[in-house]
Amino acid sequence: MNCTACTAPLDHDAQLCPGCVRGLDVRLAELPVQYLLLSTQLRPGAARGDGPVALVRVPPLPVREDVLDMRAAGGMVTMLEDWREAMQNARGWGRPARTGSIERRVMAAARGLQMNLDWISEFFQGAGDMAREIRHLSGQTAALLDPAPPTLRVGDCAADLGGDICGAPLRVPAGTTDVRCRRCGTEYPPHMWMTLATGAWATPEGAAA
Ligand SMILES: [Zn+2]
Ligand SMILES: [Zn+2]
């Protein structure tokens, strides 16, 4: 029996290993906060500390569509609500309501999943896919909140944080070859990039910080 998210061996019948459960728990707690923070990223440069918007005498910049998409119906809220509905369906429960502001819906869906994490990690057939998708969603959101300029993307951080894979997006900053995970600090020399980019991350020593 192996973890359906990271394939680590399990000592009893379950869907997720303790590390993946912890990671999922933390991400479900963080996502509603990240959702709120995204509203500060709607305009490019908003996070550069230019001072109060009203004092910056430049024409308004266009809205960032990637941030808008994540905040709109079909973005974060839909992924969380779909998983909550799948979970409730698997338990024979009714459909959860999808009402109120998107902010409230994100919070309700994330809470609904978090409160059922014990059952999900033991029994939910979709737990592995759910953990992986939410890890990716959380990484994407972190990247949107990261004010660094767009650079070459090399893959997701494969560092093992006590059983939970970090999963934050990794980029090569312009003009350098230093790839360092902004979430956990793991460094990746250039010879590891191809492995990261292809997702063929297999060697345990490779993920050592
Ligand atoms: Zn796992
Ligand atoms: Zn990392």
Side-chain angles (χ1 to χ4, degrees), residues 30-41 71 76 103-104 106-107 145:
E30 284 175 352
L31 280 167
V33 180
Q34 290 179 312
Y35 182 88
L36 292 177
L37 289 174
L38 279 177
S39 66
T40 66
Q41 299 294 324
R71 284 180 52 85
M76 183 190 293
E103 267 161 41
R104 282 197 55 84
V106 165
M107 197 170 312
L145 289 170

Side-chain angles (χ1 to χ4, degrees), residues 3 8 21 26 31 65 75 103 122 126 172 196:
C3 173
V21 176
V26 168
L31 280 167
E65 287 196 13
E103 267 161 41
E122 291 293 312
V172 188
L196 282 171

Side-chain angles (χ1 to χ4, degrees), residues 18-93:
C20 284
V21 176
R22 258 196 321 277
L24 190 52
D25 193 21
V26 168
R27 289 181 185 108
L28 287 170
E30 284 175 352
L31 280 167
V33 180
Q34 290 179 312
Y35 182 88
L36 292 177
L37 289 174
L38 279 177
S39 66
T40 66
Q41 299 294 324
L42 277 171
R43 293 187 190 281
R48 283 205 303 262
D50 291 336
V53 173
L55 299 179
V56 181
R57 290 166 190 276
V58 290
L61 293 160
V63 164
R64 283 179 61 186
E65 287 196 13
D66 51 356
V67 175
L68 210 55
D69 287 348
M70 182 62 92
R71 284 180 52 85
M76 183 190 293
V77 68
T78 301
M79 183 189 283
L80 291 172
E81 285 180 336
D82 285 354
W83 277 118
R84 187 183 181 203
E85 186 169 323
M87 179 273 295
Q88 298 213 169
N89 189 38
R91 302 194 77 167
W93 297 354

Side-chain angles (χ1 to χ4, degrees), residues 143-191:
L144 292 175
L145 289 170
D146 182 348
T151 43
L152 179 66
R153 180 81 203 271
V154 289
D156 294 340
C157 180
D160 185 337
L161 311 176
D164 177 39
I165 295 161
C166 173
L170 295 170
R171 292 184 167 77
V172 188
T176 79
T177 55
D178 301 326
V179 176
R180 193 166 188 281
C181 175
R182 297 177 71 94
R183 180 163 180 252
C184 72
T186 303
E187 289 179 24
Y188 294 90
H191 74 265

